[in-house]
Amino acid sequence: MPPGTEEIERAVEVLRAGGLVAIPTETVYGLAADAENPQAVGRIFTTKGRPPSHPLIVHLGSADQLDDWADDVPETARLLAERFWPGPLTLVLRRGRRVPLETTGGLETVAIRVPDHPVALELLIAFGGAVAAPSANRFGSVSPTTAEHVRLELGDDVDFVLDGGPCGVGVESTIVDVTGPAPTVLRPGGVTREDLEAALGHALAVPASSSVRVPGQHPSHYAPRARVVLVEPQDLAAEAARYADHKVGVLVPPALAGAAIEAHAVVVLPDDLAGYARGLFGYLRDLDHRGCDVILATLPEEHGLGLAIANRLRRAAGPRTGEA
């Protein structure tokens, strides 16, 4: 059952006291603190082990609050907010005075979104302000899409957990920078590039890297304990055999569901990208739980949500600390 009034009131009390609340959103669970409280925001960085230079996303209860938290909001941002909020879209804007530099990682820009989850919105409206909320996990690890994921990973380091059920989108929000002459996608996510382009009426750039710091840009991110190896679909069986001295987990595309692949654990993926995105982080966590030390995966075609899924898999397979 969704949280009741008493749980929402308790979460508001924790936030106002400078505490941390794990909140459900449509994308992933967030580790929320009062966005205007530098000490509370500092607890997010300490709890996650997140570098303080990595900016946090500010979550609002309504697009009507946008001018309270950002300055010089361009018409492009208002158009995108009207079209996609509440929803999995984050806009990078000029920082408003209410946002401390601790929340923005020292930047004069701020990342803002309105989540599309009834529990998150009820909390934000009751709180009356804004919360800073990165994913509710240790820095660089697999994002949580259930309250149980949060409890298992953060335990008593989070003061209160609001359980809003499994996340419906399953990958983080799309981040669009609207501070420059043309909007740019800095992180693909739950709103597709195609939908953004349809709303704007023109093509959007999706650079491989950016000088603008936003969440999710670290070379290794969204990573399970197991090593993630990306392979071509036709090579899955051969690669699984090559890692025969490991406990191999395999994410099998639906087209290869009947293929003979020898592995410690096999997950056959859904035949739709929305289902794949919704389940991706849960699959990675499950293969960790089943003892795999290598996970083989293939990249989906990079259209629609496939662009966000491929981004998460590339980061999960990225070089970790101490690797080249």
Side-chain angles (χ1 to χ4, degrees), residues 206-230:
V206 187
S209 61
S210 169
S211 60
V212 180
R213 296 201 309 273
V214 295
Q217 288 182 319
H218 197 268
S220 175
H221 218 84
Y222 321 107
R225 290 190 299 273
R227 177 187 171 200
V228 176
V229 179
L230 301 179

Side-chain angles (χ1 to χ4, degrees), residues 97-220:
R97 294 186 202 174
R98 291 186 69 172
V99 188
L101 288 170
E102 287 83 356
T103 298
T104 66
L107 301 176
E108 289 299 335
T109 54
V110 59
I112 297 177
R113 86 178 187 101
V114 178
D116 188 16
H117 194 289
V119 174
L121 291 173
E122 185 178 357
L123 171 67
L124 286 162
I125 292 167
F127 180 56
V131 300
S135 56
N137 56 289
R138 306 297 180 191
F139 180 69
S141 69
V142 181
S143 301
T145 52
T146 69
E148 185 61 19
H149 293 164
V150 178
R151 295 186 182 102
L152 288 172
E153 187 157 350
L154 297 184
D156 293 338
D157 287 342
V158 59
D159 300 311
F160 193 70
V161 177
L162 278 174
D163 188 345
C167 299
V169 174
V171 292
E172 291 80 1
S173 60
T174 303
I175 299 179
V176 177
D177 179 13
V178 290
T179 62
T184 303
V185 177
L186 301 184
R187 180 181 72 183
V191 172
T192 68
R193 175 174 59 182
E194 292 85 350
D195 284 344
L196 290 167
E197 290 175 343
L200 293 171
H202 60 76
L204 279 177
V206 187
S209 61
S210 169
S211 60
V212 180
R213 296 201 309 273
V214 295
Q217 288 182 319
H218 197 268
S220 175

Side-chain angles (χ1 to χ4, degrees), residues 34-43 100 102-103:
D34 182 351
E36 292 184 270
N37 183 334
Q39 289 73 36
V41 168
R43 282 195 60 198
E102 287 83 356
T103 298

Side-chain angles (χ1 to χ4, degrees), residues 18 29 34 45 55 85 94 102 104 178 182 208 211-212 218 220 232 247-248 266 293:
Y29 272 72
D34 182 351
F45 288 100
W85 283 359
R94 301 294 175 191
E102 287 83 356
T104 66
V178 290
S211 60
V212 180
H218 197 268
S220 175
E232 295 297 325
K247 289 186 176 180
V248 178
V266 171
D293 53 15

Side-chain angles (χ1 to χ4, degrees), residues 63 66 75-86 89 91 199:
L66 185 56
E75 285 307 310
T76 298
R78 298 191 191 281
L79 184 156
L80 291 174
E82 180 178 357
R83 171 64 181 83
F84 296 106
W85 283 359
L89 175 69
L91 299 175

